[in-house]
Amino acid sequence: MTPEEWHKVKEVMQTALELDPQTRETFLDSACAGQESIRSEVESLLESHEQDDAFLEHLAAVEAADLIASTPGVWIGRRLGPYELLEEIGEGGMGAVYRAGRADGMYDKQVAIKLIRSGLSTGFFFSRFRNERQILAGLEHPNIARLLDGGVTEEGMPFVVLEFVPGVPIDEYCIRHDLSIADRLKLFRTVCSAVQYAHQNLVVHRDLKPGNILVTEDGVPKLLDFGIAKILDPEQGGTGGDRSLTVMRVMTPDFASPEQVRGDLITTASDVYSLGVILYLLLSGRRPYRVSSTAPHEIIKAICDTDPERPSTAVTRLEKSKDSNNAVSSVGVGEQKDPNQKHEKLRRALSGDLDNIVLKALRKEPERRYATVEQFSEDVRRHLEHLPVIARKDTPGYRASKFVMRHKASVAATVAVAFTLIAALLITLREARIAQRRFNDVRSLANSLIFEVHDSIRDLPGATSARKLIVERGQQYLDNLAQESKNDPALLRELAGAYARLANVLGHPNDANVGDTLRAIQNFRKAEELQRLAVSLRPADLDSRRELAAIELNFTLVLGEAGNLQERDQRLHEALQILEPLVTSHPGDLKALALLSNAYSYTGGNFAEHNDLDHALWYYERTLVLCEQLVKSDPKSQAFQVALSFAHKHVGSTLSLQNKLPVALEHYRTAMAIDEALLTLRPGNFEARYNITYTYSDTGYILGRQGDLDAALSYYRKALEIRSSLAAADPQNVKPRAGSGNTYEYIAGLLQQKRDFTGALDSYKKALTIREALLERDPSNESSRFALAISQADIGNLYATLASQSGISGADQLSSCRNSQSWLSKALPVFSERKKKGLLLGGNFDTLAATERNLEMCGGVMRHLSSQTQSSSPSSNP
C-alpha cells in the first residue's frame, strides 16, 4: 500500500469511527467508491477495533512522526528565503500560518507565511495548495489579502508569503466594538464586494467563515484562505475530489452549503449561502442550526434537511450560544438595562426585511437564493436605505413540499398501505421529477451564467475575456439540454440569447468585443435559426418576436463590418417588418419602441453610407423623436438616456456633413450634457466612459471645420486619453483600440493643417500600427481593411505634400516621392473597390482624388529627377 493510500485509509477510518453501523455502510460506499483495497483495509481495521479498543493505538504511533514535524516549535526561528518565522498565528484544515519578519536587513516588513501541514503531504493537498497560490496571484482587491511570494522549504514543503493582516475575525470585531446592526450590514457589504470580485474572476471561495474574514483596527475587512477555492469551469463539474465526505476535514461544515456537504456541483451560489450564514451570525449572535452532536452526518442532516429559524426568533432563545455570550450582548441595540427589552428590540429590528434577506440566502436550492453576491449586497443596501427588497417570504406550498421531501419514507409507507396498486406509478413520477429537477438545475445555472453573471460584468473594464468564457460555458450547457428538449420554445429562446450574447462578445462593433467577425456571424446565424424556431412554435408570443428583431438588428452591424451589405440590408428590412406593426398594435411596449428607434437609426446610417444625406437625416430625426418619447415614458432609464444621446449625435453628424455646423454643434452640446450626467452616475462603467468619447471626437471635428484647430485638438485628445486607458485596461477588447486608431488619425489631420508635419506623421503611423494589428487579428473585417487603407493613403499624401514644399533639395524630394508612391499604391486598390460598390463618403472621395493626383505628381517628379541625374552623369564612352 502506497503512503497516499494509507493516508486515505486513515482519513476514512477517522470519520467512520464516529458513525453508527447503518450510516457507516452508506459512508463507505461513497468514500471508497472504486477503491476496494482501501475499503477492505478500513473494514478490517474496524473489525479489529470492535474486538479490541486498544487495537488502534498503533495508528497513533504512525501519526506521531507527522505530529512532530507539524509541531509549531519546529518552525519558529526558521528562515524561509529572506523571512524568519516568529510565531504561529493560525491553523486551518490544510496548513499552519506563521507571522514572519524580514530578516535580511533590507527593510522592515511583517508578512504571513502559510505552510502545508506535513501530515497532508499528498498529491491531493499539494494540488490544493498550488491551486490557492495560483488563485491569489490573479486577485488584486483592497479587501483580499495579497499574495507576495512563494517557494518550497528544504524538506520539499510548499509555502506562500501573504500580506500580514493584523486583525480579528469579523464576528469578534463586531462584538468588541459593539457595532450597531446598520454598521454590521455596511461592513458585511464590503466583504460582499471582495467575494463578488473573486466571482467576476471566476473564483469560488468555498470556505467563507468569520475566521477567514479578518477586520483591522481601522475597520477594513480582509478576505483570507483560498485553500479550497475553485476556479469556475463547467466542464469539470462536481468531481470526486470535491466530495464533502473526502474534504469534510478541509472545509468548515457549519458554514458550508447543502450542495457542498452533499458533494454536488459547486457554483457561486455556495458562497452566497456561506455569506448568509455569516450574516445570520453577525445579526443574531447565533448560528442557523442547532446540532446536538459534532458527528459529520448529524451536521450534514441539519444543513440539508432542517430549515433555519428566523434570526428574529433565534435571538429570543435564552440558552448560551457557542458563538457569543448571548445574542443581545453581541449585537449593539442600545442601552436598555432589562435583557428582555434588549431581546425585544433586537427581535423587532431583525423581523421583516432582514429575516427575509438572510433566509433567501440560506435556501436549500441554489436557484432560489440570490443570483449573485452583488444582488445579495444590493438587497442589504436597499434595506439600509428603507427601500423595497427583492427577498420574499416562503409560501405555504413551498413549506409543504419541504415537509414531504424530509419525510418521504413515512409518506410513501402510508400511501403504500392505501394505494398499493399505484406504487409503481408513484415511483415512476418521482424519478421523472428528479430528472426534471436536474434538468432545471442545469438550465438555471446556464441562464445564471449567461444572463446574470455575464450581464453583471458586461461594462467592467478588463472583463471581455471573462465574458467570452462565461457565455461559451453557459452555451455548452444549453446546447446539451436542447438535445433533450428540442421543441421547448422557452429553452430555444434562452439558447438563442446565449448565441447572440456570444456573437456580441466576439465581434459586435458597438460592444466590447475580441475582434472575431467571422465567428460572430456564425453565432448570429445560429441565434437567428433558434429564435425563428421558437417564434414558429409560439407565433403569438410578443417576447419571441421582439427578441428575433433584436437579433436581426445586431446581426446587421456585424454583417456591415464584414462587407456583406446586401444581406445586412435584408436583415434590417426583416427587423422593420416585425417592429413597425408591433409598435402600432402595442404602443406601450417600450422595448419594441426602443428596438424600432435602433432600426431607424441603422437605416439612416445606411443612407449616409451612400451619400444620401437627406434620407439619412429624415430617419435620424425620426429616431430622435422616438428616443425623446422613451425618455419621457421612463426618465430614470439610463439605457434610454444613452439612446437619446446617440440620436442627437447622429442628427448632428449628418447636419455637419451638410455644412450646417452651428446647429450640428448644438445637438452635440445636448448629447454631451447627457453623457456627462451618465458618467457621473457610473464613473467606472465602460459604456459610459466610451460613449462620451464619441461626443468629444465629433465636437472636435465640427470645431476643426469651423477653423478652431486648437480647440478641436483639445477635444480629440480628451477622447484619446479615455480610449487609450480603456484599451490598456482590457487588451482583449478591440473596440477602444480601434477607437484610439481613429482618434490618432483625426489628430494627425489637424496637425497637418497646422503644418506640424513631424507630429502629423507620428500620429498617422500610430494609427497605422493599431489598424495593422486589428486587421491581422480579424482579417474578415472589411471596416478594418478600409481603415488601414485610409492610414496608408493619408501617410502617402503627407509625403507628397512634403515633396512639393519649396526649398526642398532634390534628394529629399525624390525620397519623399518614393515614400508617397509606396504608401499610395497600397491604398489605391481598396479605395477603387469601395468606389465601385458605391461606399465612399464625401471625405473619402477627396482622399481618393488626392491619392490619384499625388501618385501622378510623384511619378512625374521621379521621372524628371531621374532624367536630370542621368544627363549630369559623365559619359562612359571615351
Side-chain angles (χ1 to χ4, degrees):
M1 180 171 289
T2 66
E4 289 78 9
E5 290 172 332
W6 175 239
H7 182 77
K8 170 78 174 195
V9 169
K10 291 187 295 181
E11 184 180 40
V12 174
M13 181 70 181
Q14 288 164 346
T15 301
L17 283 172
E18 300 175 353
L19 306 178
D20 58 72
Q22 184 176 0
T23 307
R24 184 181 294 164
E25 285 297 313
T26 303
F27 164 67
L28 291 176
D29 288 340
S30 175
C32 302
Q35 298 173 299
E36 292 303 318
S37 62
I38 290 177
R39 176 163 186 162
S40 177
E41 185 67 24
V42 171
E43 288 177 337
S44 175
L45 292 173
L46 288 170
E47 182 179 355
S48 299
H49 175 63
E50 290 170 357
Q51 295 173 358
D52 181 5
D53 290 345
F55 173 77
L56 292 180
E57 288 181 359
H58 77 278
L59 289 179
V62 173
E63 298 283 0
D66 282 346
L67 290 172
I68 291 172
S70 301
T71 303
V74 173
W75 293 101
I76 302 302
R78 285 277 301 275
R79 282 189 61 169
L80 298 180
Y83 300 104
E84 179 182 352
L85 274 60
L86 303 176
E87 64 171 329
E88 184 178 6
I89 57 175
E91 183 175 2
M94 283 175 53
V97 183
Y98 296 84
R99 180 173 64 87
R102 190 88 184 187
D104 58 3
M106 298 292 291
Y107 52 87
D108 291 332
K109 182 178 182 65
Q110 288 199 348
V111 298
I113 293 183
K114 183 174 182 178
L115 277 160
I116 192 169
R117 292 196 286 115
S118 58
L120 300 180
S121 53
T122 67
F124 172 79
F125 288 100
F126 273 5
S127 174
R128 285 289 180 201
F129 206 77
R130 287 193 299 268
N131 184 54
E132 177 180 16
R133 187 166 56 193
Q134 185 58 45
I135 285 172
L136 285 170
L139 298 180
E140 287 287 342
H141 189 277
N143 300 109
I144 296 177
R146 290 181 296 115
L147 174 71
L148 303 177
D149 202 352
V152 180
T153 69
E154 295 175 356
E155 297 83 1
M157 308 297 293
F159 68 88
V160 291
V161 182
L162 304 163
E163 172 189 0
F164 177 65
V165 181
V168 297
I170 187 170
D171 57 336
E172 184 178 339
Y173 177 87
C174 292
I175 295 171
R176 283 189 186 183
H177 293 78
D178 195 26
L179 294 189
S180 66
I181 289 176
D183 288 338
R184 292 175 189 230
L185 293 174
K186 292 172 185 175
L187 185 64
F188 177 76
R189 292 196 69 224
T190 304
V191 175
C192 287
S193 72
V195 180
Q196 177 67 11
Y197 170 81
H199 289 180
Q200 287 168 353
N201 284 271
L202 307 183
V203 174
V204 185
H205 190 283
R206 299 204 294 182
D207 194 18
L208 293 171
K209 58 184 178 181
N212 284 339
I213 305 168
L214 299 186
V215 185
T216 67
E217 279 302 311
D218 296 332
V220 178
K222 291 277 188 176
L223 186 57
L224 312 172
D225 198 354
F226 282 77
I228 64 168
K230 178 184 180 183
I231 298 176
L232 269 178
D233 186 350
E235 291 182 346
Q236 292 177 358
T239 66
D242 292 333
R243 292 287 180 183
S244 64
L245 292 174
T246 58
V247 299
M248 180 65 77
R249 298 182 62 191
V250 177
M251 73 179 181
T252 309
D254 283 356
F255 295 88
S257 65
E259 60 269 24
Q260 275 182 283
V261 299
R262 285 194 303 262
D264 292 343
L265 181 66
I266 302 302
T267 68
T268 55
S270 295
D271 280 352
V272 171
Y273 183 94
S274 298
L275 285 170
V277 179
I278 292 170
L279 185 57
Y280 193 110
L281 175 61
L282 296 183
L283 294 179
S284 70
R286 307 188 187 284
R287 304 195 187 193
Y289 306 106
R290 288 182 284 174
V291 183
S292 57
S293 169
T294 59
H297 70 284
E298 291 290 344
I299 298 174
I300 292 173
K301 188 176 187 302
I303 293 173
C304 295
D305 297 335
T306 304
D307 286 330
E309 62 184 342
R310 294 178 172 276
S312 60
T313 303
V315 298
T316 62
R317 283 193 266 119
L318 297 178
E319 75 273 12
K320 297 289 184 180
S321 166
K322 65 180 178 180
D323 305 307
S324 59
N325 289 335
N326 58 63
V328 176
S329 65
S330 67
V331 182
V333 291
E335 295 299 324
Q336 285 87 350
K337 295 181 180 180
D338 184 351
N340 290 329
Q341 290 182 359
K342 291 183 179 181
H343 280 296
E344 180 57 27
K345 182 169 184 179
L346 183 56
R347 187 194 65 77
R348 288 199 305 268
L350 298 182
S351 62
D353 281 353
L354 287 178
D355 274 344
N356 290 333
I357 288 172
V358 173
L359 294 181
K360 181 175 177 64
L362 293 179
R363 283 175 176 164
K364 306 299 183 188
E365 306 87 349
E367 70 274 10
R368 299 189 73 237
R369 298 174 204 150
Y370 289 102
T372 63
V373 173
E374 183 179 39
Q375 191 183 73
F376 188 2
S377 177
E378 179 66 9
D379 232 12
V380 172
R381 180 194 67 80
R382 294 179 69 84
H383 167 76
L384 285 169
E385 296 179 7
H386 306 290
L387 297 171
V389 300
I390 65 172
R392 293 290 183 266
K393 297 179 180 179
D394 287 340
T395 63
Y398 172 71
R399 288 190 176 278
S401 69
K402 294 297 291 181
F403 175 85
V404 172
M405 290 300 295
R406 285 197 303 271
H407 304 284
K408 57 188 175 186
S410 59
V411 171
T414 304
V415 171
V417 171
F419 303 103
T420 304
L421 294 178
I422 63 171
L425 176 60
L426 290 176
I427 293 172
T428 302
L429 292 174
R430 176 178 174 275
E431 292 300 322
R433 285 199 302 272
I434 292 173
Q436 183 62 41
R437 188 187 311 131
R438 288 175 179 168
F439 182 95
N440 291 335
D441 285 347
V442 175
R443 182 173 177 177
S444 176
L445 173 61
N447 282 313
S448 177
L449 283 172
I450 297 167
F451 301 104
E452 293 175 347
V453 177
H454 167 270
D455 290 358
S456 71
I457 67 171
R458 180 179 178 272
D459 291 320
L460 293 179
T464 308
S465 295
R467 289 174 54 211
K468 178 172 175 286
L469 176 62
I470 287 169
V471 178
E472 283 178 334
R473 292 294 186 262
Q475 176 192 309
Q476 289 171 11
Y477 274 139
L478 290 177
D479 270 333
N480 291 333
L481 294 180
Q483 300 302 315
E484 302 176 32
S485 185
K486 296 181 179 179
N487 295 318
D488 182 343
L491 181 59
L492 290 169
R493 285 174 53 197
E494 292 161 11
L495 190 54
Y499 276 104
R501 274 170 167 73
L502 181 56
N504 287 340
V505 180
L506 288 169
H508 194 297
N510 290 349
D511 198 355
N513 70 92
V514 299
D516 193 341
T517 302
L518 187 60
R519 283 189 64 206
I521 289 175
Q522 292 170 350
N523 278 274
F524 267 127
R525 292 198 193 285
K526 186 66 176 176
E528 182 194 39
E529 174 190 343
L530 292 164
Q531 192 65 37
R532 285 190 182 279
L533 181 55
V535 171
S536 69
L537 293 171
R538 288 184 181 173
D541 184 57
L542 297 181
D543 289 336
S544 292
R545 290 160 57 197
R546 192 194 313 114
E547 288 161 10
L548 175 59
I551 290 171
E552 298 282 23
L553 287 176
N554 285 313
F555 196 5
T556 64
L557 297 182
V558 180
L559 289 168
E561 290 293 293
N564 298 347
L565 303 189
Q566 184 175 356
E567 185 180 0
R568 177 200 67 182
D569 294 345
Q570 174 191 339
R571 304 285 180 195
L572 182 56
H573 176 69
E574 290 174 357
L576 283 168
Q577 285 187 316
I578 296 172
L579 291 169
E580 286 181 327
L582 193 59
V583 169
T584 301
S585 59
H586 298 81
D589 188 342
L590 297 186
K591 291 181 180 179
L593 195 64
L595 288 171
L596 182 60
S597 74
N598 287 342
Y600 285 152
S601 179
Y602 298 166
T603 304
N606 291 352
F607 277 113
E609 270 187 0
H610 293 86
N611 297 320
D612 188 346
L613 298 182
D614 288 336
H615 278 96
L617 183 61
W618 187 84
Y619 274 101
Y620 281 145
E621 286 177 338
R622 288 191 72 182
T623 301
L624 180 58
V625 170
L626 292 181
C627 289
E628 288 172 339
Q629 182 180 339
L630 287 167
V631 170
K632 184 178 180 181
S633 300
D634 187 359
K636 293 183 179 180
S637 170
Q638 295 182 5
F640 293 164
Q641 294 283 352
V642 170
L644 179 60
S645 171
F646 271 105
H648 279 290
K649 291 171 195 174
H650 290 141
V651 171
S653 173
T654 310
L655 290 171
S656 69
L657 292 174
Q658 293 178 326
N659 291 315
K660 300 173 183 177
L661 300 181
V663 64
L665 196 57
E666 285 303 314
H667 279 283
Y668 276 103
R669 284 173 179 154
T670 302
M672 191 175 299
I674 297 172
D675 291 344
E676 287 174 343
L678 290 171
L679 188 58
T680 301
L681 291 173
R682 305 180 296 174
N685 183 275
F686 172 83
E687 181 187 50
R689 293 179 65 192
Y690 198 89
N691 285 349
I692 202 169
T693 68
Y694 291 119
T695 316
Y696 289 154
S697 181
D698 289 356
T699 301
Y701 171 78
I702 294 173
L703 292 172
R705 290 277 302 276
Q706 289 180 330
D708 193 347
L709 302 186
D710 290 332
L713 277 170
S714 72
Y715 274 104
Y716 277 130
R717 284 171 176 150
K718 287 169 71 173
L720 180 61
E721 180 182 1
I722 296 174
R723 290 177 175 182
S724 297
S725 67
L726 290 173
D730 191 354
Q732 296 302 311
N733 185 3
V734 303
K735 182 177 180 179
R737 291 171 62 196
S740 297
N742 295 340
T743 311
Y744 275 123
E745 192 79 18
Y746 303 145
I747 288 173
L750 290 174
L751 292 174
Q752 187 171 346
Q753 289 185 56
K754 291 169 66 70
R755 304 189 68 77
D756 179 0
F757 298 125
T758 302
L761 186 60
D762 179 65
S763 286
Y764 278 138
K765 288 188 174 179
K766 286 178 178 175
L768 177 83
T769 300
I770 292 172
R771 289 171 171 180
E772 285 177 335
L774 290 175
L775 184 60
E776 182 180 359
R777 178 175 183 152
D778 189 9
S780 62
N781 191 312
E782 289 300 317
S783 294
S784 293
R785 189 180 306 280
F786 185 53
L788 178 59
I790 290 174
S791 288
Q792 293 167 337
D794 286 341
I795 293 173
N797 289 326
L798 176 57
Y799 274 118
T801 300
L802 292 174
S804 62
Q805 297 298 300
S806 60
I808 188 174
S809 68
D812 287 343
Q813 189 177 32
L814 182 62
S815 174
S816 293
C817 279
R818 283 174 177 164
N819 280 323
S820 177
Q821 274 206 328
S822 173
W823 288 109
L824 295 177
S825 297
K826 295 175 182 177
L828 186 59
V830 180
F831 272 83
S832 299
E833 181 183 358
R834 289 184 73 87
K835 182 181 179 182
K836 288 179 183 178
K837 293 180 178 179
L839 296 179
L840 287 182
L841 293 171
N844 293 329
F845 273 109
D846 295 341
T847 303
L848 174 59
T851 298
E852 294 171 334
R853 183 173 61 252
N854 286 327
L855 268 172
E856 184 178 352
M857 182 270 289
C858 284
V861 169
M862 291 170 67
R863 288 191 296 272
H864 174 69
L865 291 175
S866 296
S867 64
Q868 277 189 338
T869 302
Q870 291 175 359
S871 63
S872 62
S873 299
S875 175
S876 59
N877 296 320

